[in-house]
Amino acid sequence: MQTHEELLEDIRDDTTGVNIIPDKDLPKFGEPLQNVTVPVGREAVLQCVVDNLQTYKIAWLRVDTQTILTIQNHVITKNHRMSITHAEKRAWILRIRDVKETDKGWYMCQINTDPMKSQVGYLDVVVPPDILDYPTSTDMVIREGSNVTLKCAATGSPTPTITWRREGGEPIPIPNGTEVMSYNGSFLTIAKVNRLNMGAYLCIASNGIPPTVSKRVMLIVHFPPMIWIQNQLVGAAIGQNITLECQSEAFPKSINYWMKNDTIIVPGERFIPETYENGYKITMRLTINEVEVHDFGSYRCVAKNSLGDTDGTIKLYHIPQTTTVTTLAPTVSTTIAPISQQKYHKGPDFTNYHNNIDHNTPLQHDANSLTLDNEVMHNDAGAATTTATDATITALATSSLITFIMSNVSLKHFLLILLRVSFPAVV
């Protein structure tokens, strides 16, 4: 097996005696050797085009290591991923399968003329980004009010850029006091962390070579329980169903329960405690069915975790029931004031008037139409007093009728109405 130096010497020896050929007849490169960019894992193809090769030989070399890869149609290197093909009698094609990042560098196509002719091309192997497990941050637990720095490291070619985003799309606080939707940089520092900063952060690495990759880092913020009560005074009537409600926040998750008179309320048919969780927020509800007298008083909603405990108080007070009473109007006596009763006679004039009257003509409300007797019968006060009995109308109806008539009918018309009622045969 020839050594590398012996192979180079053979190439040089092959040039002996051929330098008498005029330069115009010597081999020459038909086109420049192109630079090639290939994603890692793909196949790289380097093509060297030579015209008028004659009996000269072509060799491929790795420039940085001065390693001979091929001579003519023979592969010299022990790298089984490399092969050589000769196409169209002028193209010498070097193929590298399953390209690795270590294959990146300068490659030379050489003709063994004297002096030697060569040209070089660059093989660039691009590598998609890959996030390193170290020193990239893992899930972090921090106490509320502290400072925290999230780290992200990635490899790739070209060098990846790092972008931070929140998984839920929430803004990211940055040291200058503002908030941004995304932040570029390997280190993300959050000062005075609060519970609103808790959640998943995405470290995204990209360099233009697909695929873009990301890693999820959970930021967990610990804080003691806090309680909010919207209605601290709640009223209820006896027998009513009522619900008391508290809002609490805590992380780690808190233990929540209700108390009355320093006694924990045990769930039952009448007392039903419930909790509804949404992240670190919890809604506490206590439903009391058919409130009784001894249920009134102060109730406490309590929240506890490893960092502390707190409670809130709701006072349940009694609302008296209102009773609607319907009262019927009583039967009353109505006294009619004394009036003068007049006696009517059918004299000749009145008879003629009655006989000549056109009954199809509306009654004329005129006092001269009647002949009144000058004899006036006066009743004493006792005779003029009439008591309304149950057989007559009720006091309410009588009062309403009299009020209506007196308000809408003149005295003269009212007397005519009485006359019609008392003497229908006359009028």
Side-chain angles (χ1 to χ4, degrees):
M1 187 85 175
Q2 290 179 304
T3 64
H4 176 69
E5 289 74 13
E6 291 173 340
L7 288 171
L8 289 176
E9 189 63 30
D10 288 345
I11 294 175
R12 296 188 187 97
D13 290 343
D14 289 339
T15 64
T16 304
V18 297
N19 55 1
I20 60 175
I21 300 176
D23 289 345
K24 64 183 180 63
D25 296 327
L26 291 175
K28 60 182 179 180
F29 293 108
E31 57 187 52
L33 184 58
Q34 300 296 321
N35 296 330
V36 177
T37 299
V38 180
V40 68
R42 302 293 183 85
E43 182 182 61
V45 178
L46 299 169
Q47 179 173 278
C48 182
V49 178
V50 179
D51 292 328
N52 195 26
L53 182 59
Q54 304 176 47
T55 59
Y56 293 93
K57 296 179 180 179
I58 297 293
W60 279 100
L61 295 87
R62 178 77 183 263
V63 174
D64 55 353
T65 61
Q66 284 295 302
T67 303
I68 298 176
L69 305 176
T70 66
I71 297 176
Q72 289 296 93
N73 294 322
H74 303 286
V75 177
I76 306 302
T77 181
K78 295 180 180 180
N79 189 339
H80 67 278
R81 296 182 294 109
M82 293 189 179
S83 63
I84 186 73
T85 57
H86 184 205
E88 299 178 357
K89 297 182 180 181
R90 63 193 293 263
W92 300 86
I93 303 172
L94 176 66
R95 298 178 183 274
I96 308 174
R97 299 185 306 274
D98 190 20
V99 170
K100 301 183 182 302
E101 194 172 4
T102 55
D103 295 327
K104 181 189 298 186
W106 291 97
Y107 288 77
M108 177 186 290
C109 174
Q110 177 180 288
I111 307 173
N112 64 338
T113 56
D114 187 17
M116 179 184 63
K117 292 184 177 181
S118 66
Q119 60 180 358
V120 294
Y122 189 80
L123 173 61
D124 187 16
V125 179
V126 292
V127 182
D130 182 36
I131 296 177
L132 302 175
D133 290 334
Y134 180 82
T136 299
S137 300
T138 56
D139 292 349
M140 302 188 69
V141 178
I142 194 75
R143 185 72 181 260
E144 190 171 41
S146 303
N147 299 336
V148 65
T149 298
L150 305 181
K151 303 174 184 178
C152 185
T155 61
S157 181
T159 302
T161 58
I162 304 297
T163 302
W164 291 93
R165 289 193 179 94
R166 294 190 67 174
E167 189 174 57
E170 301 92 342
I172 299 174
I174 55 178
N176 64 6
T178 62
E179 293 183 332
V180 294
M181 299 309 297
S182 63
Y183 179 80
N184 294 330
S186 296
F187 301 94
L188 173 62
T189 299
I190 303 176
K192 296 182 180 179
V193 173
N194 63 58
R195 65 198 66 182
L196 298 178
N197 305 139
M198 182 162 55
Y201 289 75
L202 299 178
C203 158
I204 304 169
S206 61
N207 63 354
I209 310 301
T212 297
V213 293
S214 64
K215 182 176 180 180
R216 188 173 184 262
V217 179
M218 277 296 299
L219 177 61
I220 302 170
V221 181
H222 280 187
F223 55 95
M226 299 181 68
I227 283 183
W228 290 267
I229 301 176
Q230 185 174 3
N231 298 317
Q232 292 182 312
L233 288 175
V234 178
I238 299 295
Q240 180 183 351
N241 296 342
I242 198 70
T243 297
L244 312 181
E245 181 174 295
C246 294
Q247 306 288 337
S248 73
E249 295 183 2
F251 204 88
K253 181 181 176 181
S254 61
I255 299 173
N256 301 79
Y257 55 90
W258 290 87
M259 299 186 69
K260 184 176 188 295
N261 299 329
D262 296 327
T263 302
I264 296 178
I265 295 176
V266 179
E269 293 183 359
R270 294 187 57 249
F271 291 89
I272 305 174
E274 298 173 295
T275 58
Y276 303 89
E277 298 182 15
N278 181 16
Y280 59 82
K281 299 180 180 181
I282 295 180
T283 299
M284 303 173 57
R285 289 177 184 163
L286 176 64
T287 299
I288 307 173
N289 294 324
E290 299 179 0
V291 172
E292 299 177 359
V293 174
H294 59 268
D295 293 331
F296 297 113
S298 296
Y299 290 79
R300 288 197 303 143
C301 48
V302 183
K304 289 184 177 182
N305 70 1
S306 59
L307 302 178
D309 62 83
T310 188
D311 63 73
T313 301
I314 299 177
K315 183 176 182 181
L316 179 64
Y317 65 91
H318 178 224
I319 299 178
Q321 291 180 329
T322 56
T323 304
T324 302
V325 179
T326 302
T327 304
L328 297 177
T331 301
V332 298
S333 297
T334 302
T335 301
I336 301 176
I339 61 173
S340 297
Q341 183 177 4
Q342 297 176 336
K343 190 175 182 180
Y344 299 90
H345 297 276
K346 289 186 178 181
D349 295 338
F350 181 81
T351 302
N352 292 335
Y353 173 83
H354 180 70
N355 293 333
N356 294 329
I357 191 171
D358 185 355
H359 293 280
N360 294 325
T361 302
L363 178 64
Q364 300 295 323
H365 302 284
D366 189 348
N368 296 326
S369 300
L370 299 178
T371 303
L372 302 181
D373 193 293
N374 291 329
E375 181 182 358
V376 178
M377 298 176 63
H378 296 281
N379 295 332
D380 58 15
T385 302
T386 304
T387 302
T389 64
D390 291 339
T392 62
I393 60 175
T394 63
L396 181 61
T398 303
S399 176
S400 299
L401 178 60
I402 294 174
T403 302
F404 173 78
I405 294 175
M406 296 302 294
S407 300
N408 295 276
V409 181
S410 64
L411 179 60
K412 179 173 60 178
H413 293 170
F414 177 65
L415 293 176
L416 290 175
I417 292 172
L418 289 179
L419 182 61
R420 282 189 173 184
V421 173
S422 302
F423 305 98
V426 177
V427 180

